[in-house]
Amino acid sequence: MQRQTALDEPGYDFHMLIDEAALRVTVGSSEVMTTQIRHLMNILTARAHVRIGIIPLNAEFLAPADSFEFSYATDSDNKRIIDPFEDADVVELVERTFDLLATTAVYGEEAHAILARALASHTESGI
């Protein structure tokens, strides 16, 4: 929860991708999953500066991607600031992969509908 305070820092925009399969797998318990999915639904509606794309189960496979986190900052000229310890080639590959995967994601009402179906799968099945 402490890390989530960054979502409310002024001046930042966030773009995240979640694979629908990750929403369907029970991690912990159904209660844990329903709490997490409801939280994502709240973020979709309450935080305009947070963009969450969900990659549907039936999305076209465009690129393999392990789970990864990627972030960067920009300076006053909107130029990217990359950590000097990061390999620029790796950063570029991760950026291209993210951008490609983002083209297969759904947003807004479509994302909310997927979240609602995932929520129902955890609350109705009694997993």
Side-chain angles (χ1 to χ4, degrees):
M1 293 301 287
Q2 188 176 16
R3 289 190 312 183
Q4 289 185 30
T5 60
L7 294 178
D8 296 317
E9 293 279 331
Y12 292 97
D13 292 318
F14 297 90
H15 185 183
M16 302 170 207
L17 297 176
I18 302 170
D19 193 319
E20 182 180 356
L23 301 169
R24 299 294 186 134
V25 174
T26 302
V27 177
S29 67
S30 288
E31 183 178 293
V32 167
M33 293 305 297
T34 58
T35 300
Q36 292 296 316
I37 293 168
R38 285 186 177 122
H39 185 65
L40 287 170
M41 292 170 119
N42 289 336
I43 290 172
L44 277 179
T45 57
R47 291 180 166 132
H49 63 286
V50 178
R51 187 171 182 220
I52 299 176
I54 300 182
I55 302 171
L57 291 172
N58 64 351
E60 181 181 359
F61 179 81
L62 297 179
D66 292 330
S67 176
F68 61 85
E69 287 183 26
F70 179 71
S71 61
Y72 60 85
T74 57
D75 63 15
S76 59
D77 296 324
N78 207 28
K79 198 163 78 174
R80 287 186 182 161
I81 302 168
I82 297 174
D83 185 334
F85 299 105
E86 293 285 341
D87 181 338
D89 292 335
V90 172
V91 170
E92 182 183 350
L93 176 62
V94 170
E95 284 181 319
R96 284 196 333 253
T97 302
F98 183 92
D99 291 343
L100 187 60
L101 291 172
T103 67
T104 68
V106 297
Y107 298 87
E109 289 301 316
E110 289 178 273
H112 197 275
I114 289 175
L115 288 170
R117 287 192 301 270
L119 179 63
S121 74
H122 289 288
T123 57
E124 294 172 1
S125 66
I127 295 174

